[in-house]
Amino acid sequence: MASGTSRGRLRVLGIDPGLTRCGVGVVDVAPDRSATLVHVGVVRSDPGAPIEERLALIAAGLRAVLDAHSPDVVAVERVFAQHNRATVMGTAQASGIALLVAGERGIAAATHTPSEVKAAITGYGNADKRQVQTMVARVLRLEELPKPADAADALALALCHAWRGAPSTTAASGPLTPAQRAWADAERVARR
Amino acid sequence: MASGTSRGRLRVLGIDPGLTRCGVGVVDVAPDRSATLVHVGVVRSDPGAPIEERLALIAAGLRAVLDAHSPDVVAVERVFAQHNRATVMGTAQASGIALLVAGERGIAAATHTPSEVKAAITGYGNADKRQVQTMVARVLRLEELPKPADAADALALALCHAWRGAPSTTAASGPLTPAQRAWADAERVARR
């Protein structure tokens, strides 16, 4: 948990990394776990462009989101080597870019696995995509399911991060501010 | 081949990507394939630091090398999903950073596989590390084998890139300058 703001809400940027489409979702989450949509979108790069230009485009697009929305923390989907080998290296490179742009601004970053995200959002680690999207829409009071899927995944990731908390970081950062204490309490409840 | 300089030599930055140690090697290669060492080193990051800070350190270190040596082209080792699963994701992320810093400066980048590098340097795709290091030292007229291994690998990668050439890029860039023509001739010879 990087820092609460004076209003006690945590602003999380979730990033679903990908070379062709990088989903980005920004949510504000209050200590009572209620959440508000701030921004959702997709950063794209042309599959026909050289890899170095694609990664530079992705970095520029993600930095624009950081500039526009100043998140407290960035949550990135964790990529595994055993998944879909044809694209996994590109996805891993994009995830590296996502973590880099956070690190360069001194913003804390965390990674979460797809099953952690599903479990946090639906209570069930093997939930299907539709269930996750439905819950994300309900939590954020959206009239429609967020689209495309990458954008919905990014919102789910951001919500997951806020709800799961990051106790080790909180513990390492010394005495808690009132907002952080409220958060820690909310996290304890969430973990019961 | 990004661009020859007025002197006709090509300056290549080779990067052996890694989270803990990123080998970097800069060589000048003349149209007759003779090569000169410009810089060799390692960009390190602390294994205990958060991943986003490690990637930011690596990016900063690689940008410092670009600033100091202004390579014409960057060559990065290609990472495969099936290699050593415990570290492959970190290596892939570091390779993404290496390609990114090139792309952000408008410097062309290319990736080469380890066996392409071995074949280019020793004539044998299954050569062992010692053979590659010995050849790199001989080609660059070094009195000792370059160390650590990551640095030697980066030099081998840079030499491989210059010697293999990149005919598709050359072909796409329109009429050749005299230096580029000399290069294209040298490449044709090298491929016989």
Side-chain angles (χ1 to χ4, degrees):
Chain A
M1 213 63 20
S3 63
T5 70
S6 55
R7 283 175 289 158
R9 61 99 177 116
L10 189 81
R11 178 164 287 185
V12 187
L13 165 59
I15 301 176
D16 182 31
L19 263 186
T20 303
R21 288 185 311 277
C22 231
V24 291
V26 182
V27 295
D28 280 349
V29 184
D32 68 0
R33 304 183 80 209
S34 66
T36 311
L37 176 67
V38 176
H39 172 78
V40 63
V42 176
V43 174
R44 297 172 195 275
S45 84
D46 175 1
I51 178 70
E52 68 275 18
E53 292 178 16
R54 300 184 71 183
L55 293 169
L57 269 176
I58 290 168
L62 296 178
R63 288 188 186 118
V65 175
L66 293 179
D67 287 341
H69 302 292
S70 302
D72 299 305
V73 61
V74 172
V76 182
E77 185 169 304
R78 188 172 297 169
V79 183
F80 290 99
Q82 60 269 36
H83 292 167
N84 186 2
R85 286 192 180 167
T87 61
V88 71
M89 287 296 108
T91 306
Q93 291 175 330
S95 80
I97 304 307
L99 292 165
L100 171 76
V101 296
E104 286 184 334
R105 308 247 172 146
I107 302 173
T111 59
H112 300 284
T113 67
S115 49
E116 285 170 349
V117 174
K118 289 172 183 173
I121 303 300
T122 70
Y124 180 54
N126 286 322
D128 65 27
K129 281 210 172 265
R130 180 81 181 189
Q131 283 176 275
V132 175
Q133 289 175 20
T134 302
M135 278 303 295
V136 166
R138 189 170 303 167
V139 165
L140 295 174
R141 300 171 301 283
L142 308 178
E143 296 192 356
E144 296 185 350
L145 298 191
K147 286 179 191 163
D150 315 79
D153 287 347
L155 290 172
L157 202 56
L159 290 170
C160 163
H161 182 81
W163 289 350
R164 283 171 55 94
S168 60
T169 308
T170 306
S173 63
L176 300 182
T177 65
Q180 286 172 329
R181 201 152 41 232
W183 253 112
D185 291 344
E187 284 168 16
R188 257 194 302 280
V189 172
R191 273 194 225 101
R192 267 177 207 157
Chain B
M1 216 61 23
S3 63
T5 69
S6 56
R7 283 176 290 158
R9 62 98 176 117
L10 189 81
R11 177 164 288 186
V12 187
L13 164 59
I15 301 177
D16 182 30
L19 263 186
T20 303
R21 289 186 310 277
C22 231
V24 292
V26 182
V27 295
D28 281 347
V29 185
D32 68 0
R33 305 185 80 208
S34 65
T36 312
L37 175 67
V38 176
H39 171 77
V40 64
V42 175
V43 174
R44 296 172 195 275
S45 84
D46 175 2
I51 178 71
E52 67 275 17
E53 292 178 16
R54 299 184 72 182
L55 293 169
L57 269 177
I58 290 168
L62 295 178
R63 288 186 185 119
V65 175
L66 293 180
D67 286 341
H69 302 293
S70 304
D72 298 307
V73 61
V74 173
V76 181
E77 185 170 305
R78 187 172 298 171
V79 184
F80 292 98
Q82 60 268 36
H83 291 165
N84 186 2
R85 285 193 181 167
T87 61
V88 71
M89 288 295 108
T91 306
Q93 291 175 330
S95 79
I97 303 308
L99 292 164
L100 171 75
V101 296
E104 287 184 335
R105 308 247 172 145
I107 302 173
T111 58
H112 300 283
T113 67
S115 49
E116 285 169 349
V117 174
K118 289 172 181 172
I121 303 299
T122 70
Y124 179 53
N126 287 322
D128 65 28
K129 282 209 171 267
R130 180 83 182 185
Q131 284 177 278
V132 174
Q133 290 173 19
T134 303
M135 277 303 294
V136 166
R138 188 170 304 167
V139 165
L140 295 174
R141 299 171 303 283
L142 308 177
E143 297 193 355
E144 295 186 350
L145 299 191
K147 285 179 191 166
D150 315 78
D153 287 347
L155 289 173
L157 203 56
L159 290 170
C160 163
H161 181 81
W163 288 351
R164 282 171 55 93
S168 60
T169 307
T170 306
S173 63
L176 301 182
T177 65
Q180 286 172 330
R181 199 153 41 231
W183 253 112
D185 292 345
E187 284 167 16
R188 256 194 303 280
V189 171
R191 275 194 225 100
R192 266 177 206 157

